[in-house]
């Protein structure tokens, strides 16, 4: 081991009083509890729509230590819309696959989908310390819309018919905040959830993992490494992830008979890490920077909306770490919630729109839990039967490719809201393309305006939407029927032409399918129309666009 190194320096933020002088109660339209990735992403999402929020955090700065470490492509797409992507790409380590070993034999080498159409990597390794800091940097650039108050702890929550009253304690005072909408993003030990008497439902697994961050200089490429029953730690499962700043995240499983408190002592951690590094062929000096213990949970609330209180992130669900769905599902929660809450706050949609947030994200949580549970049962078998099955699969995987899919860690991916109450489907018409509820695929497009080509590389239609509903009209020549364009004057909708040629008509905004990939990718023909939500999910699609169908689909959401 080498000399001490601290990659997560604690930089306390200045405590802002927040409460108006002489007032015991303050009113705000939206109060967000929790200054982690989910709370910050929600505040940034609201700010994109011009909605002000107050965000309170019990701590005095961004987190320290090892928590979330992997950010998915879908999360990066969302973070780009929030104006915080540059730091993630500059600091993070991209990766696209990984390897699994059984004892000393490699039994799986997997690669996540990645092609020339996608400008963002499938995954980026980045410690939560940096994730929060980059989101905070973006939030602090908008002080008129995002009011952040550190060292402000919730001590009571009272629901009202028209909102909630939250009692908070600070280093100087205790006061009340009345809010129309309360977003609980305060983590797995949510104070708001506890105050409302709500319980997470599901499974807590007995298997325990020690999490160790170490500082180690190495030229090894960035990929996910999994070791089953390795010579360095017989009978255990070990995961290894390389992170920025020469930090490595190591997770290893404890035996059932091991004492948890003793397991995190350096004198017990160091020999296992030394043995693992020797097995990997890493000989450089190292030292620990963070040690903790973890148990897998597969838990969720069954409703994320309780009147004026909305739950997101770990306050709403706890997902096993296997498949990196924790922070990524929370960022997806924030993306779904922010635009819907903004439309409600601004009076552009009824309160009932927020029920669809709960419906869609509870469905997503169950999908994440389903995949996460499969991974957990393979990584840490809960019974002898599961362990016997895993041993058989690992023993066969080296020579039999057909069983290797059972080892696949099932990394997180965008979830389609196939049964969303918002969806509008035209059954049996499309044979290809993203169905209602699905995230739009990436594909390069050239931005056009008034017939001129601009130097723009667009990989996701959500980059064009800018927080609005977007209509994509597929056209040979860049023309859009006037009656469709007229919808822009009566609805919060921007209509764009997707053209097969670089020609563009009049003042119609549009894009040119310069690679000739977009039409087949969407299963579209001239006259086809896709209606896209502000979060990049398809709301509806029609082979032949009709004004009444598009207007009715939007009215279903907004009225």
């Amino acid at each position: 081991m080498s000399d001490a190194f601290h990659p997560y320096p604690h930089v306390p933020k200045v405590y802002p009083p927040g409460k108006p002088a002489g007032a015991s109660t303050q009113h705000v339209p939206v109060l967000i509890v929790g200054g982690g990735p989910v709370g910050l992403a929600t505040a940034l999402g609201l700010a994109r729509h011009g909605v002000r929020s107050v965000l309170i955090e019990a701590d005095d700065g961004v987190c320290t230590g090892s928590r979330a470490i992997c950010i998915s492509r879908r999360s990066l797409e969302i973070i780009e819309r929030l104006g915080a992507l540059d730091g993630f790409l500059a600091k993070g380590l991209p990766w696209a696959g990984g390897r699994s070993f059984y004892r000393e034999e490699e039994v799986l080498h997997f690669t996540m989908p990645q092609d020339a159409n996608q400008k963002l990597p499938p995954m980026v390794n980045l410690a939560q310390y940096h994730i929060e800091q980059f989101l905070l940097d973006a939030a602090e650039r908008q002080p008129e819309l995002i009011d952040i108050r550190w060292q402000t702890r919730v001590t009571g929550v009272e629901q009202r018919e028209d909102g909630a009253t939250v009692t908070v304690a600070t280093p100087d005072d205790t006061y009340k905040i009345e809010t129309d909408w309360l977003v609980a993003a305060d983590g797995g030990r949510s104070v708001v959830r506890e105050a409302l008497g709500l319980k997470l439902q599901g499974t807590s697994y007995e298997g325990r993992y020690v999490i160790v961050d170490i500082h180690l200089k190495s030229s090894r490429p960035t990929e996910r490494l999994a070791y089953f029953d390795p010579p360095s730690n017989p009978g255990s499962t070990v995961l290894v992830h390389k992170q920025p700043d020469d930090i490595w995240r190591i997770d290893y499983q404890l035996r059932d008979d091991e004492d948890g408190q003793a397991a995190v002592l350096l004198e017990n951690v160091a020999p296992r890490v030394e043995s693992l590094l020797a097995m990997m062929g890493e000989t450089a000096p190292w030292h620990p920077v963070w040690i903790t213990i973890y148990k897998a949970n597969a838990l969720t609330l069954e409703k994320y909306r309780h009147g004026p209180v909305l739950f997101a992130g770990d306050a709403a669900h706890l997902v096993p770490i296997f498949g990196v769905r924790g922070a990524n599902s929370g960022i997806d929660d924030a993306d779904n919630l922010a635009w819907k809450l903004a439309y409600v706050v601004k009076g552009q949609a009824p309160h009932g729109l927020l029920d669809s947030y709960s419906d869609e994200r509870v469905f997503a949580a169950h999908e994440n839990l389903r995949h996460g549970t499969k991974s957990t049962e393979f990584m840490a078998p809960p019974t002898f039967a599961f362990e016997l099955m895993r041993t058989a699969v690992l023993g066969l995987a080296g020579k039999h490719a057909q069983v290797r899919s059972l080892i696949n860690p099932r990394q997180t991916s965008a979830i389609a809201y196939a049964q969303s109450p918002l969806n509008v489907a035209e059954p049996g018409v499309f044979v290809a393309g993203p169905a209602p509820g699905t995230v739009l695929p990436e594909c390069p497009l050239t931005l056009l305006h008034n017939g001129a080509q601009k130097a723009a590389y667009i990989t996701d239609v959500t980059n064009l939407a800018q927080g609005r509903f977007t209509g994509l009209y597929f056209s040979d020549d860049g023309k859009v029927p006037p009656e469709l364009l007229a919808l822009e004057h009566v609805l919060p909708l921007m209509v764009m032409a997707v053209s097969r040629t670089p020609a563009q008509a009049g003042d119609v905004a549009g894009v040119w399918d310069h690679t000739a990939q977009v039409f087949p990718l969407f299963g579209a023909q001239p006259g086809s129309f896709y209606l896209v939500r502000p979060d990049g999910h398809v709301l509806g699609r029609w082979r032949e666009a009709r004004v009444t169908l598009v207007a009715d689909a939007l009215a279903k959401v907004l009225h």
Side-chain angles (χ1 to χ4, degrees), residues 37-231:
V38 179
L40 288 166
T42 303
L44 286 165
L46 290 168
R48 290 185 71 244
H49 294 272
V51 173
R52 181 177 178 272
S53 64
V54 171
L55 185 152
I56 61 175
E57 168 57 48
D59 290 337
D60 63 351
V62 301
C63 76
T64 58
S66 187
R67 302 183 189 182
I69 60 166
C70 300
I71 295 297
S72 69
R73 174 186 285 126
R74 172 60 180 162
S75 292
L76 292 174
E77 292 172 356
I78 294 168
I79 289 162
E80 182 176 23
R81 294 202 303 272
L82 299 180
L85 181 64
D86 290 349
F88 283 76
L89 296 184
K91 188 71 173 177
L93 298 181
W95 57 282
R99 302 174 189 273
S100 296
F101 299 84
Y102 178 47
R103 295 173 181 163
E104 296 179 327
E105 180 185 14
E106 182 176 313
V107 292
L108 174 70
H109 182 198
F110 74 90
T111 302
M112 291 178 285
Q114 173 77 350
D115 59 48
N117 291 336
Q118 296 162 320
K119 71 172 184 178
L120 297 171
M123 205 73 69
V124 165
N125 277 357
L126 190 67
Q128 186 165 325
Y129 168 83
H130 297 296
I131 294 169
E132 291 186 9
Q133 187 61 60
F134 295 142
L135 292 172
L136 176 61
D137 291 343
E140 288 181 334
R141 291 193 288 269
Q142 304 180 71
E144 70 286 355
L145 290 172
I146 304 175
D147 177 359
I148 303 176
R149 303 178 189 176
W150 304 97
Q151 301 182 59
T152 303
R153 180 170 49 88
V154 173
T155 60
V157 179
E158 179 186 348
Q159 285 185 274
R160 309 187 317 271
E161 187 174 333
D162 60 346
T165 301
V166 179
T167 304
V168 299
T170 72
D172 302 326
D173 200 359
T174 296
Y175 65 100
K176 295 180 184 295
I177 302 176
E178 290 185 350
T179 183
D180 301 327
W181 299 99
L182 173 61
V183 177
D186 52 340
R189 297 182 178 90
S190 171
V191 176
V192 177
R193 190 181 65 225
E194 182 72 21
L196 268 57
L198 302 173
K199 302 292 184 184
L200 298 174
Q201 305 296 321
T203 303
S204 292
Y205 291 91
E206 294 300 321
R208 298 162 299 160
Y209 273 76
V210 171
I211 297 175
V212 188
D213 280 11
I214 68 170
H215 182 249
L216 169 76
K217 289 187 177 294
S218 171
S219 59
R220 186 182 292 265
T222 305
E223 58 184 351
R224 176 195 183 272
L225 299 173
Y227 298 93
F228 298 93
D229 194 16

Side-chain angles (χ1 to χ4, degrees), residues 365-383:
H366 283 290
E367 285 292 287
N368 282 319
L369 293 175
R370 182 169 64 86
H371 290 295
T373 295
K374 289 180 180 178
S375 297
T376 300
E377 290 171 345
F378 195 88
M379 298 299 295
T383 66

